Amino acid sequence: EHNDTYAESYHRGFFNNLVNGKPAHQCGAKTHDTASIGGLVTIAPIVLTERLKGTALDDVQSLCKEHLYLTHPDNKLALICFHYVNLIDRLLFRKASTSVAEILNSISCSSAGLNLEKLDSTVKDDSEVIGNRYSSACYIEHSWPATLYLAYHYRENAKQALIANTNLGGDNVHRGCLLGVIFGLISGKTIVSLYTALVDHKQITQEILDLFNPAEDVLVQQTQD
């Protein structure tokens, strides 16, 4: 009944397997675009929660891969997930002497064989990278380096990064999700003006608050009943 009729292929594949009797934890479907950046969107909350609790990085890596395979069972994507977890961890616990550019370039070199410092010094427009060198589509071999490029190029201006990402089109939503995480870790700030411009931002805020207080909500409901 939702007004948005689009459902990604991993949703369609998952529920197809579910109605055909597969156990829920084995319903992740393999399709032509399973190795897509959308599979990484729910990884950051796990990393942040577990690492801040003191869970060892290796254990967090294993947990994130297990989580990823519930919906996106793909070895190529799992490898990028490994690097994404490392990126989050390095930004979260970076020393004051370690530059963001250094971290981003290191992760890019190890995960995509891409020297961001060199690339950034040669391009004049973002479309030379995203839309030319790399597709703007969801496929991880394109969307991952595209995301890293935007993070590197606009590392001192989150708002410009998000606007540029939007204007480049393609799978800008999922790239934007990762960029939001990266820039949140870089600056520790949010861009309030973009959030409050959303028509339903008050409803979204309430849903977020409800996620933080599930036990309290249940207790209130039980009391009312």
Side-chain angles (χ1 to χ4, degrees):
E1 296 178 356
H2 196 282
N3 290 330
D4 184 356
T5 58
Y6 177 74
E8 283 208 48
S9 60
Y10 87 88
H11 283 127
R12 300 193 297 271
F14 180 93
F15 286 107
N16 183 64
N17 286 333
L18 189 66
V19 298
N20 284 328
K22 274 194 173 185
H25 68 284
Q26 296 176 3
C27 283
K30 185 80 172 177
T31 69
H32 73 285
D33 58 358
T34 298
S36 64
I37 193 170
L40 302 180
V41 169
T42 57
I43 294 298
I46 298 173
V47 182
L48 296 172
T49 300
E50 293 300 323
R51 288 296 283 145
L52 291 173
K53 285 197 313 184
T55 305
L57 181 58
D58 287 348
D59 292 334
V60 175
Q61 289 282 15
S62 298
L63 181 61
C64 286
K65 182 177 180 180
E66 182 180 352
H67 173 79
L68 179 73
Y69 270 57
L70 292 174
T71 53
H72 292 74
D74 184 272
N75 291 334
K76 181 168 61 175
L77 183 59
L79 179 60
I80 298 301
C81 180
F82 173 87
H83 291 290
Y84 180 45
V85 173
N86 280 343
L87 173 59
I88 294 172
D89 188 75
R90 289 180 64 179
L91 289 174
L92 180 63
F93 296 111
R94 74 185 184 277
K95 298 178 180 178
S97 59
T98 305
S99 73
V100 168
E102 179 183 333
I103 294 173
L104 289 168
N105 196 46
S106 173
I107 292 291
S108 180
C109 287
S110 61
S111 64
L114 175 64
N115 187 316
L116 289 172
E117 182 179 6
K118 183 178 180 180
L119 176 65
D120 193 47
S121 67
T122 60
V123 299
K124 297 180 180 179
D125 188 85
D126 294 336
S127 61
E128 294 178 34
V129 179
I130 303 170
N132 187 1
R133 177 166 181 161
Y134 298 106
S135 168
S136 62
C138 67
Y139 306 109
I140 198 63
E141 62 268 28
H142 295 275
S143 53
W144 173 247
T147 300
L148 292 177
Y149 162 76
L150 289 171
Y152 185 91
H153 183 71
Y154 293 101
R155 58 190 179 275
E156 296 181 359
N157 194 319
K159 187 173 183 178
Q160 282 188 9
L162 296 176
I163 291 173
N165 172 63
T166 301
N167 290 335
L168 286 163
D171 196 4
N172 51 15
V173 172
H174 292 144
R175 291 196 311 262
C177 287
L178 269 64
L179 286 170
V181 171
I182 293 169
F183 279 102
L185 289 167
I186 289 174
S187 67
K189 300 176 181 178
T190 57
I191 307 173
V192 177
S193 60
L194 292 181
Y195 179 71
T196 54
L198 296 172
V199 173
D200 294 325
H201 76 272
K202 292 182 179 179
Q203 180 182 344
I204 295 170
T205 298
Q206 187 57 54
E207 290 181 2
I208 294 171
L209 292 174
D210 290 345
L211 286 173
F212 280 112
N213 302 291
E216 180 180 330
D217 292 341
V218 171
L219 181 61
V220 170
Q221 185 62 48
Q222 288 176 342
T223 303
Q224 290 175 345
D225 293 343

